[in-house]
Structure formats: structure tokens, C-alpha cells
Amino acid sequence: MTHSEIEITADLILELLHDQHPDLADHPVQLGARGWDNQLWRLGDDLAVRLPWATESADELLRKEYDWLPGLAPRLPLPVPVPQRIGEPSARFPRPWIVTTWVPGTPADRAPATLVAESADALAAFLTALHRPAPDGAPAGRGRGGPLADHTEGFTQQLASATEQGLIPDPDAVRAVWEDAVAAPDWSGPALWLHGDLHPANVLTEDGTFCGVIDFGDLFAGDPACDLAAAWLLLPDGAVDRFHDAYRPAADPATLRRARGWAVVKALVCILIGEAGVHGRPGGKPTWGPPGHASLRRLIA
């Protein structure tokens, strides 16, 4: 992460709006969240402003959302942040930025889903609606959605690091899930639309179930196993089987094996980021650890 040298403040956002979208410049502005790629600022009651701040790739990801998400959003059964305006680089802020709809809710890393049936059905309905064949020219994933074996080195390093820190009680069981997933046949179907980054901070909850999905910067076309991993990472105990029963078309055994592999990778990342947060290290988020540990426990049970 390389934080922007420009301090992003409410005053800066109001100046940018006044210059490029003056009809929005009278809305109150308040900080919503700081993510990996972008900062999110709430704009009035119904809108939000997302500005890149920590990675060079954020510019391209914001433009991708602006180009593709408005066409996908109407068919999705959960609210998503639909881009409304785009801000171009300027002397005040040399990077693009977007205005989207505001999606209310609490990130699942802070308020996990607790209702088994409701959350399983909501996630299955969302992914069933999203996972449709993508058109020619749809964006490709940043190392996601392709062969799982390409991530073996990263998995090995993450497992070793988490094990050395005493965070993995049974590394052999985790490795067995990964090896089975890598041995599964690759996806042979059409490239499907995928969210690509369904971790607990990108899914919102209310009253024990899911109420929104945010951050479509990794939107791309590929193997649905990448998204189906979310069942182990996001759902409460006892909900995974119901999710699989509700998701359509039903995933074949090879896809479920690959999904378990993606879930292992995502769980290890959550565990490592969570541990970094516990110790106050840069980039750490202590709320990410518990869902990562819960996911591994389900996967190796």
C-alpha cells in the first residue's frame, strides 16, 4: 500500500464536487471507511464518493466499476453501490473518482450473519443472479478466476507464515483441502460475471442477514469457484449446505472442490491480516481474524 501524498478531507471532496459536479456540492460529507484501494465518504443521505488513495491500480478499478456495474446492478437482488458520476483527474486531485449510491448496513467482519436460512438464501440468490455469462470484452481478473494451481506458491507462503505464528492448529488438514482443490478439473464452462472479492468487509449485514454487497473493483469474468468460496467465509455454522442447495445452477463437484481451495486462500489472508491488526502492524484489521478462523474450522471439519 502506498498512501496518497494528498490528504483526502471533506473540504477537498466538496471542492472537487464544486468544480465538476456543482449540483452535489451542497450535500454534507463525512468519512465512511478507508479500504485497501479507496476511501469512501458519505455524501448526503443517499450517495457516496470513492477516491483512490493507497494503490496505483485503484484508478483502473474505479473506471471499471463505472463502466460495467450500472448494467449489472438492476438484476441483483441485494443493493450495490451503483456509479452515478465520475470525476476526472485535476490539479486539485490527480486521479479519477466516482460518485455512487450509498448502501446502508454494517460490514460482516464487524457484524457477521447469524441467521442460517436467511443468510444462505440471500447469498445464493445474489450469486445466482450475478453468475451469468459475461460478454466479449468483459474484464479479466487480477490473478483470480483462473487455474487454482497458479496460486500454490502464495498458499504455501501464507500457510507457513500463519503456522509459524501459531495461528493454525492443524496445517496438514488445511494443506489436504488445498491439494484436493488443485487436483480438481479446471472450469470448462463460459466465463461468468464474478464479484471477485467477497470477503467479510465487502458484504453488509442487518438483523442477522445480508443487506448489501459493496466494492466491485475486482469485477471480472471467470470461474465461479472464486465467488462460491464466500459460503465458507461469510455464512454462519450450518448454512453452507443450504447455500449449495439454493444456488443455481447447482455447482458440480469439481467446482465445489475448487471453491474450497479459494476459501482456504481467503481464510489464510483474513487470519494474517487479522493478526497484523491485533499487533498494530500496517494494513492490519483485527476484525478480519475471526471470520478467517471460522472459515478454516468449517473447511477442515
Short mmCIF file of all heavy atoms in Angstrom, two decimals, residues 81-114:
data_model
loop_
_atom_site.label_atom_id
_atom_site.label_comp_id
_atom_site.label_asym_id
_atom_site.label_seq_id
_atom_site.Cartn_x
_atom_site.Cartn_y
_atom_site.Cartn_z
N PRO A 81 -23.49 -0.51 -4.70
CA PRO A 81 -23.21 0.91 -4.93
C PRO A 81 -23.15 1.22 -6.43
O PRO A 81 -22.13 1.01 -7.08
CB PRO A 81 -21.85 1.12 -4.25
CG PRO A 81 -21.20 -0.23 -4.30
CD PRO A 81 -22.31 -1.24 -4.21
N VAL A 82 -24.22 1.73 -6.97
CA VAL A 82 -24.31 1.97 -8.42
C VAL A 82 -23.64 3.31 -8.76
O VAL A 82 -24.04 4.35 -8.24
CB VAL A 82 -25.77 1.99 -8.87
CG1 VAL A 82 -25.84 2.14 -10.39
CG2 VAL A 82 -26.50 0.72 -8.42
N PRO A 83 -22.63 3.31 -9.63
CA PRO A 83 -21.98 4.57 -10.01
C PRO A 83 -22.96 5.53 -10.69
O PRO A 83 -23.74 5.14 -11.55
CB PRO A 83 -20.89 4.11 -10.99
CG PRO A 83 -20.61 2.69 -10.61
CD PRO A 83 -21.94 2.14 -10.20
N GLN A 84 -22.89 6.79 -10.26
CA GLN A 84 -23.75 7.84 -10.80
C GLN A 84 -22.97 8.89 -11.59
O GLN A 84 -23.45 9.40 -12.58
CB GLN A 84 -24.48 8.54 -9.65
CG GLN A 84 -25.28 7.61 -8.75
CD GLN A 84 -26.46 7.01 -9.45
OE1 GLN A 84 -27.33 7.72 -9.96
NE2 GLN A 84 -26.52 5.67 -9.50
N ARG A 85 -21.80 9.24 -11.13
CA ARG A 85 -20.98 10.26 -11.76
C ARG A 85 -19.52 9.81 -11.69
O ARG A 85 -19.14 9.00 -10.84
CB ARG A 85 -21.09 11.60 -11.01
CG ARG A 85 -22.51 12.07 -10.68
CD ARG A 85 -23.18 12.76 -11.84
NE ARG A 85 -24.48 13.28 -11.44
CZ ARG A 85 -24.69 14.52 -10.98
NH1 ARG A 85 -23.67 15.37 -10.85
NH2 ARG A 85 -25.91 14.91 -10.64
N ILE A 86 -18.72 10.39 -12.56
CA ILE A 86 -17.28 10.16 -12.49
C ILE A 86 -16.58 11.51 -12.42
O ILE A 86 -17.03 12.49 -13.04
CB ILE A 86 -16.77 9.33 -13.69
CG1 ILE A 86 -15.32 8.88 -13.43
CG2 ILE A 86 -16.89 10.10 -14.99
CD1 ILE A 86 -14.87 7.76 -14.33
N GLY A 87 -15.54 11.56 -11.62
CA GLY A 87 -14.71 12.75 -11.53
C GLY A 87 -13.37 12.49 -12.21
O GLY A 87 -12.75 11.45 -11.99
N GLU A 88 -12.96 13.41 -13.03
CA GLU A 88 -11.71 13.23 -13.77
C GLU A 88 -10.53 13.85 -13.01
O GLU A 88 -10.70 14.75 -12.19
CB GLU A 88 -11.82 13.86 -15.16
CG GLU A 88 -12.85 13.18 -16.06
CD GLU A 88 -12.50 11.75 -16.39
OE1 GLU A 88 -11.34 11.34 -16.17
OE2 GLU A 88 -13.39 11.01 -16.88
N PRO A 89 -9.31 13.37 -13.27
CA PRO A 89 -8.13 13.95 -12.63
C PRO A 89 -8.05 15.46 -12.87
O PRO A 89 -8.42 15.95 -13.94
CB PRO A 89 -6.97 13.21 -13.29
CG PRO A 89 -7.56 11.93 -13.78
CD PRO A 89 -8.97 12.25 -14.18
N SER A 90 -7.55 16.18 -11.88
CA SER A 90 -7.48 17.63 -11.98
C SER A 90 -6.29 18.11 -11.16
O SER A 90 -5.58 17.32 -10.52
CB SER A 90 -8.75 18.27 -11.44
OG SER A 90 -8.89 18.01 -10.05
N ALA A 91 -6.07 19.42 -11.16
CA ALA A 91 -4.98 19.98 -10.37
C ALA A 91 -5.20 19.75 -8.88
O ALA A 91 -4.25 19.60 -8.11
CB ALA A 91 -4.86 21.47 -10.68
N ARG A 92 -6.46 19.72 -8.46
CA ARG A 92 -6.76 19.51 -7.04
C ARG A 92 -6.52 18.06 -6.61
O ARG A 92 -6.07 17.80 -5.50
CB ARG A 92 -8.21 19.89 -6.75
CG ARG A 92 -8.53 21.36 -6.91
CD ARG A 92 -9.99 21.60 -6.49
NE ARG A 92 -10.42 22.96 -6.82
CZ ARG A 92 -10.23 24.00 -6.02
NH1 ARG A 92 -9.61 23.85 -4.87
NH2 ARG A 92 -10.68 25.19 -6.39
N PHE A 93 -6.84 17.13 -7.51
CA PHE A 93 -6.70 15.71 -7.20
C PHE A 93 -6.39 14.98 -8.50
O PHE A 93 -7.26 14.87 -9.38
CB PHE A 93 -8.01 15.17 -6.58
CG PHE A 93 -7.88 13.79 -6.00
CD1 PHE A 93 -7.20 13.57 -4.82
CD2 PHE A 93 -8.46 12.70 -6.64
CE1 PHE A 93 -7.09 12.30 -4.28
CE2 PHE A 93 -8.36 11.42 -6.12
CZ PHE A 93 -7.67 11.22 -4.93
N PRO A 94 -5.16 14.47 -8.66
CA PRO A 94 -4.71 13.96 -9.96
C PRO A 94 -5.13 12.54 -10.30
O PRO A 94 -4.45 11.87 -11.08
CB PRO A 94 -3.19 14.06 -9.83
CG PRO A 94 -2.94 13.81 -8.39
CD PRO A 94 -4.09 14.44 -7.65
N ARG A 95 -6.25 12.08 -9.76
CA ARG A 95 -6.71 10.72 -10.01
C ARG A 95 -8.22 10.75 -10.24
O ARG A 95 -8.92 11.65 -9.76
CB ARG A 95 -6.36 9.80 -8.84
CG ARG A 95 -4.89 9.85 -8.46
CD ARG A 95 -4.54 8.90 -7.34
NE ARG A 95 -4.62 7.50 -7.77
CZ ARG A 95 -4.26 6.48 -7.00
NH1 ARG A 95 -3.81 6.69 -5.78
NH2 ARG A 95 -4.34 5.24 -7.46
N PRO A 96 -8.78 9.76 -10.94
CA PRO A 96 -10.24 9.72 -11.12
C PRO A 96 -10.92 9.33 -9.81
O PRO A 96 -10.32 8.73 -8.92
CB PRO A 96 -10.43 8.64 -12.19
CG PRO A 96 -9.25 7.75 -12.02
CD PRO A 96 -8.11 8.64 -11.63
N TRP A 97 -12.21 9.65 -9.71
CA TRP A 97 -13.01 9.29 -8.54
C TRP A 97 -14.45 9.16 -9.00
O TRP A 97 -14.80 9.60 -10.10
CB TRP A 97 -12.88 10.34 -7.43
CG TRP A 97 -13.00 11.77 -7.90
CD1 TRP A 97 -12.00 12.54 -8.45
CD2 TRP A 97 -14.17 12.59 -7.88
NE1 TRP A 97 -12.48 13.80 -8.77
CE2 TRP A 97 -13.80 13.86 -8.42
CE3 TRP A 97 -15.48 12.40 -7.44
CZ2 TRP A 97 -14.71 14.90 -8.56
CZ3 TRP A 97 -16.38 13.44 -7.57
CH2 TRP A 97 -15.99 14.68 -8.12
N ILE A 98 -15.28 8.49 -8.20
CA ILE A 98 -16.65 8.28 -8.63
C ILE A 98 -17.63 8.62 -7.50
O ILE A 98 -17.28 8.59 -6.31
CB ILE A 98 -16.91 6.84 -9.11
CG1 ILE A 98 -16.66 5.81 -8.00
CG2 ILE A 98 -16.09 6.52 -10.33
CD1 ILE A 98 -17.05 4.39 -8.39
N VAL A 99 -18.84 8.94 -7.91
CA VAL A 99 -19.97 9.11 -7.00
C VAL A 99 -20.90 7.93 -7.23
O VAL A 99 -21.26 7.63 -8.37
CB VAL A 99 -20.72 10.43 -7.26
CG1 VAL A 99 -21.92 10.56 -6.32
CG2 VAL A 99 -19.78 11.63 -7.09
N THR A 100 -21.27 7.24 -6.16
CA THR A 100 -22.14 6.07 -6.25
C THR A 100 -23.33 6.24 -5.31
O THR A 100 -23.38 7.16 -4.48
CB THR A 100 -21.41 4.78 -5.85
OG1 THR A 100 -21.24 4.75 -4.43
CG2 THR A 100 -20.06 4.67 -6.53
N THR A 101 -24.29 5.34 -5.43
CA THR A 101 -25.33 5.28 -4.42
C THR A 101 -24.74 4.75 -3.11
O THR A 101 -23.74 4.01 -3.11
CB THR A 101 -26.47 4.36 -4.86
OG1 THR A 101 -25.93 3.06 -5.23
CG2 THR A 101 -27.20 4.94 -6.07
N TRP A 102 -25.33 5.15 -1.99
CA TRP A 102 -24.90 4.68 -0.68
C TRP A 102 -25.68 3.43 -0.32
O TRP A 102 -26.90 3.37 -0.47
CB TRP A 102 -25.16 5.76 0.37
CG TRP A 102 -24.90 5.32 1.78
CD1 TRP A 102 -25.82 4.89 2.69
CD2 TRP A 102 -23.62 5.25 2.43
NE1 TRP A 102 -25.21 4.57 3.88
CE2 TRP A 102 -23.86 4.78 3.75
CE3 TRP A 102 -22.32 5.55 2.04
CZ2 TRP A 102 -22.84 4.60 4.68
CZ3 TRP A 102 -21.30 5.37 2.96
CH2 TRP A 102 -21.55 4.90 4.25
N VAL A 103 -24.97 2.41 0.15
CA VAL A 103 -25.61 1.16 0.57
C VAL A 103 -25.53 1.06 2.08
O VAL A 103 -24.44 0.92 2.64
CB VAL A 103 -24.94 -0.06 -0.08
CG1 VAL A 103 -25.65 -1.34 0.34
CG2 VAL A 103 -24.94 0.07 -1.60
N PRO A 104 -26.66 1.14 2.79
CA PRO A 104 -26.62 1.06 4.26
C PRO A 104 -26.38 -0.36 4.74
O PRO A 104 -26.69 -1.34 4.06
CB PRO A 104 -28.00 1.55 4.67
CG PRO A 104 -28.88 1.24 3.50
CD PRO A 104 -28.01 1.39 2.27
N GLY A 105 -25.81 -0.46 5.93
CA GLY A 105 -25.53 -1.76 6.53
C GLY A 105 -24.22 -1.73 7.28
O GLY A 105 -23.48 -0.73 7.23
N THR A 106 -23.89 -2.83 7.94
CA THR A 106 -22.64 -2.95 8.70
C THR A 106 -21.79 -4.04 8.07
O THR A 106 -22.30 -5.13 7.79
CB THR A 106 -22.93 -3.31 10.17
OG1 THR A 106 -23.80 -2.33 10.73
CG2 THR A 106 -21.65 -3.36 10.97
N PRO A 107 -20.50 -3.80 7.80
CA PRO A 107 -19.66 -4.84 7.21
C PRO A 107 -19.67 -6.12 8.05
O PRO A 107 -19.68 -6.08 9.29
CB PRO A 107 -18.27 -4.20 7.19
CG PRO A 107 -18.53 -2.73 7.13
CD PRO A 107 -19.77 -2.53 7.96
N ALA A 108 -19.67 -7.26 7.36
CA ALA A 108 -19.83 -8.55 8.03
C ALA A 108 -18.63 -8.91 8.90
O ALA A 108 -18.75 -9.81 9.74
CB ALA A 108 -20.08 -9.65 7.00
N ASP A 109 -17.49 -8.25 8.73
CA ASP A 109 -16.39 -8.53 9.65
C ASP A 109 -16.67 -7.94 11.03
O ASP A 109 -16.09 -8.38 12.02
CB ASP A 109 -15.06 -8.01 9.10
CG ASP A 109 -15.03 -6.51 8.91
OD1 ASP A 109 -16.02 -5.97 8.37
OD2 ASP A 109 -14.03 -5.86 9.28
N ARG A 110 -17.56 -6.96 11.08
CA ARG A 110 -17.94 -6.36 12.37
C ARG A 110 -19.28 -6.87 12.87
O ARG A 110 -19.55 -6.86 14.07
CB ARG A 110 -17.96 -4.83 12.25
CG ARG A 110 -16.56 -4.23 12.16
CD ARG A 110 -16.61 -2.73 12.20
NE ARG A 110 -16.70 -2.16 10.87
CZ ARG A 110 -17.33 -1.02 10.60
NH1 ARG A 110 -17.95 -0.36 11.55
NH2 ARG A 110 -17.34 -0.55 9.37
N ALA A 111 -20.15 -7.29 11.99
CA ALA A 111 -21.47 -7.82 12.36
C ALA A 111 -21.75 -9.03 11.49
O ALA A 111 -22.44 -8.93 10.47
CB ALA A 111 -22.55 -6.76 12.19
N PRO A 112 -21.23 -10.20 11.83
CA PRO A 112 -21.40 -11.39 10.99
C PRO A 112 -22.87 -11.78 10.86
O PRO A 112 -23.69 -11.51 11.73
CB PRO A 112 -20.62 -12.47 11.74
CG PRO A 112 -19.70 -11.73 12.67
CD PRO A 112 -20.41 -10.47 13.03
N ALA A 113 -23.17 -12.44 9.74
CA ALA A 113 -24.51 -13.01 9.57
C ALA A 113 -24.72 -14.10 10.61
O ALA A 113 -23.82 -14.90 10.88
CB ALA A 113 -24.66 -13.58 8.17
N THR A 114 -25.91 -14.14 11.19
CA THR A 114 -26.22 -15.12 12.23
C THR A 114 -27.41 -16.00 11.89
O THR A 114 -27.56 -17.08 12.47
CB THR A 114 -26.50 -14.40 13.56
OG1 THR A 114 -27.55 -13.44 13.37
CG2 THR A 114 -25.25 -13.68 14.07
#
